[in-house]
Amino acid sequence: MGYGIMRTEKRQKNDLYKVREENNRTFADHAKPMFADKRIDWSRTDSNLYFRKTENWNDAVKDLLEEKGIKRVRKDAVYSLDTLYTASPDFFEGKTTDEVREFFERCLEYHGQELCGGHDELIINAVIH
């Protein structure tokens, strides 16, 4: 029997760099303490599958706020929600790459419709590791 998991964490502006670097796994020096998660298999970074990829999250969030007419944001404001979708290993057992991709495409669609109110342009990054 398989099960799905969705975890969401609030992130402030100062968190965006670290979260982007970890999620995109693009930083050159992944031995830095803030990125040294032993669960990450760095040799597989090239196989990341991006549905959306944004290099500068701060600029992306700033642009979205400007589009919405928001000019000032409190220092302690939540800038983004970092959401993880996954499932138990037995759920993925025997699935093809296309089936796994389809599962995550449905997660992204759900996120855009249900959590972003149909405004999927609010999703600035989506990657499968």
Side-chain angles (χ1 to χ4, degrees):
M1 172 183 228
Y3 56 88
I5 300 168
M6 181 184 123
R7 181 206 77 218
T8 300
E9 294 182 54
K10 295 177 182 179
R11 301 294 185 171
Q12 293 180 320
K13 185 176 183 178
N14 294 338
D15 296 331
L16 295 185
Y17 169 76
K18 181 173 76 170
V19 174
R20 176 190 56 108
E21 292 296 286
E22 183 175 342
N23 287 349
N24 285 351
R25 302 197 174 144
T26 55
F27 40 88
D29 186 6
H30 52 263
K32 290 180 181 177
M34 64 192 231
F35 302 124
D37 189 332
K38 303 285 190 250
R39 297 170 296 173
I40 296 174
D41 181 354
W42 296 103
S43 67
R44 298 179 63 194
T45 298
D46 289 340
S47 61
N48 288 350
L49 176 60
Y50 292 91
F51 291 108
R52 305 222 178 118
K53 186 174 182 182
T54 301
E55 294 300 330
N56 190 326
W57 290 15
N58 280 322
D59 284 349
V61 171
K62 181 181 167 192
D63 292 346
L64 285 169
L65 292 172
E66 285 178 7
E67 287 174 19
K68 302 289 182 194
I70 300 169
K71 298 186 187 317
R72 293 188 57 148
V73 179
R74 292 174 39 165
K75 287 184 197 178
D76 63 344
V78 172
Y79 252 62
S80 84
L81 296 176
D82 179 28
T83 306
L84 168 74
Y85 289 94
T86 190
S88 60
D90 56 322
F91 173 82
F92 292 112
E93 191 172 308
K95 295 220 180 331
T96 66
T97 303
D98 287 341
E99 291 170 323
V100 171
R101 181 184 174 95
E102 182 180 332
F103 169 78
F104 286 108
E105 285 173 342
R106 287 194 315 260
C107 290
L108 184 62
E109 182 179 317
Y110 167 82
H111 195 91
Q113 290 299 312
E114 300 299 324
L115 301 177
C116 294
H119 298 281
D120 69 348
E121 72 276 6
L122 297 176
I123 301 170
I124 61 172
N125 212 66
V127 61
I128 297 174
H129 300 292

